[in-house]
Amino acid sequence: MLVNELLTAVLQVSAMSVIPVIWWLITAKKTSFFSWIGLKKPIIKEKKKFAISLCVALAIIISMSLVLDPLLPDDIQLANERFGGQGIKAFIPAVVFAFIATAFAEEILFRGFIGKRLCGKLGFYVGNTLQAILFGMLHGATMFPALGIAIPMLVIAFTGMLGWLMGYINEKSNGSIIPSWLLHGISNLYAAIIIMFELL
């Protein structure tokens, strides 16, 4: 299972990085790619706002599982279902899945690439809102055929709010995507642990 998760992680990060790398090569190759997408040390000046944002994001993560999990049918196949009922033996594969295959790959694409480009063109609030909508749509749009309208719209709303907050947290971290990457990974690992130990 661990080998499969590592391979999946490499493929996911590669796939989500293709467009950002091409765009960087065309428009900004004089700048370091890592700095350009925000893979740099965070510098937090407004610590109070940063801490409040983290607390709100964590509240959304917990609320999301409490609201959505009871609404999802038992036969729905989510990305982390492969850890279902496996307990502690799935923990390391789940960490790879949570922090690299999903969180790191998505942070590169959404906050590192899409968010930064949109914020640069449209200003922070409009650009960050647009990337958050796209992030929410990625997580909920594929559910419409199986689940109708209400549940996918809730998924889009929750993940969109979380995406907006992660963009805001990056803004308060000198443009670093590391805080949102860690928060995103914690969110994904929390969801995986619930499934691993069948907690809800």
Side-chain angles (χ1 to χ4, degrees):
M1 180 183 263
L2 178 58
V3 173
N4 285 342
E5 290 303 329
L6 288 168
L7 289 172
T8 301
V10 169
L11 290 173
Q12 284 276 100
V13 171
S14 300
M16 295 282 203
S17 298
V18 168
I19 293 173
V21 167
I22 291 169
W23 195 282
W24 169 76
L25 284 170
I26 293 169
T27 65
K29 65 181 175 184
K30 291 181 182 176
T31 306
S32 154
F33 176 73
F34 297 113
S35 177
W36 184 76
I37 62 164
L39 198 55
K40 58 186 179 180
K41 181 181 177 181
I43 300 169
I44 302 162
K45 292 180 181 172
E46 298 180 69
K47 291 180 173 57
K48 188 174 180 181
K49 286 183 180 178
F50 182 84
I52 291 169
S53 302
L54 276 180
C55 290
V56 172
L58 290 170
I60 290 171
I61 291 165
I62 293 166
S63 300
M64 191 162 57
S65 66
L66 294 174
V67 171
L68 291 175
D69 285 352
L71 298 175
L72 292 172
D74 291 338
D75 61 344
I76 192 75
Q77 289 297 309
L78 301 174
N80 53 14
E81 288 292 326
R82 57 186 172 270
F83 305 117
Q86 294 197 33
I88 197 69
K89 70 179 181 180
F91 184 75
I92 299 300
V95 168
V96 173
F97 164 82
F99 282 90
I100 303 173
T102 52
F104 187 55
E106 290 176 8
E107 288 308 308
I108 287 172
L109 182 62
F110 285 95
R111 261 63 67 188
F113 174 60
I114 294 171
K116 287 186 182 308
R117 306 300 73 81
L118 288 174
C119 291
K121 291 286 183 192
L122 304 171
F124 173 74
Y125 288 99
V126 174
N128 194 44
T129 301
L130 289 174
Q131 73 77 19
I133 291 168
L134 291 171
F135 182 69
M137 291 297 292
L138 170 80
H139 288 82
T142 57
M143 295 180 172
F144 284 114
L147 299 175
I149 294 174
I151 295 172
M153 289 303 292
L154 277 172
V155 170
I156 290 168
F158 273 116
T159 54
M161 285 188 293
L162 198 53
W164 196 92
L165 274 168
M166 288 191 290
Y168 181 80
I169 286 166
N170 290 350
E171 179 79 2
K172 298 299 174 191
S173 306
N174 194 37
S176 173
I177 65 168
I178 291 174
S180 64
W181 171 25
L182 295 176
L183 179 63
H184 195 160
I186 289 166
S187 172
N188 292 345
L189 184 59
Y190 171 74
I193 287 171
I194 287 172
I195 288 172
M196 284 160 51
F197 294 99
E198 299 174 340
L199 298 175
L200 289 178

